[in-house]
Amino acid sequence: MTRVQVRFAGGLELLVGGRKRVEVELPSSPPPPPPPPPPPPPDAGSLGGRGSGDGASVSLSPLSTPPAPTVGDLITHVRASVLTERHDAFSSTADGGVRPGILVLINDVDWELEGTSAARLAEGDVVSFISTLHGG
């Protein structure tokens, strides 16, 4: 689990019951699918007398940790579990991003510089959603 602080400003706090800060725990992203199996080993006759000829091989892969969650994962979680109203004013389910006019900052850096929705999040990151649109 990755703990992230989410901040809402510029009117977006109205979509989360007036809260300006929310602590969120995100599960790690699911691991990518395993690679395809290797091709079958050549038959014993083509080894030229080397090796055991039984075709058995041992493949060891290093243990890996699941990839960290992304900003896209956070947006999906916020839309599903944090917003209390007007979900469509925050994001679209079609592309998994935020609506135009919402500035997204990851640790006070524009998410465009970090990889937008594919940016990986780390424990303790602060993600801010700030509306730049104001009605009258």
Side-chain angles (χ1 to χ4, degrees), residues 62-78:
L63 294 176
S64 62
T65 59
T70 64
V71 176
D73 297 332
L74 176 66
I75 291 168
T76 300
H77 178 79
V78 165

Side-chain angles (χ1 to χ4, degrees), residues 15 78-93 99:
L15 304 180
V78 165
R79 181 179 168 87
S81 303
V82 178
L83 296 183
T84 57
E85 60 184 86
R86 297 188 54 206
H87 297 74
D88 59 320
F90 178 72
S91 70
S92 165
T93 56
R99 289 282 184 199

Side-chain angles (χ1 to χ4, degrees), residues 31-47:
D43 61 334
S46 66
L47 291 176

Side-chain angles (χ1 to χ4, degrees), residues 31-128:
D43 61 334
S46 66
L47 291 176
R50 293 176 290 159
S52 65
D54 63 2
S57 64
V58 176
S59 174
L60 299 177
S61 61
L63 294 176
S64 62
T65 59
T70 64
V71 176
D73 297 332
L74 176 66
I75 291 168
T76 300
H77 178 79
V78 165
R79 181 179 168 87
S81 303
V82 178
L83 296 183
T84 57
E85 60 184 86
R86 297 188 54 206
H87 297 74
D88 59 320
F90 178 72
S91 70
S92 165
T93 56
D95 64 1
V98 293
R99 289 282 184 199
I102 296 178
L103 177 64
V104 181
L105 303 176
I106 305 167
N107 300 319
D108 294 327
V109 176
D110 189 333
W111 77 327
E112 298 281 339
L113 301 173
E114 300 290 333
T116 63
S117 63
R120 296 279 177 198
L121 296 172
E123 184 76 21
D125 279 350
V126 177
V127 179
S128 303

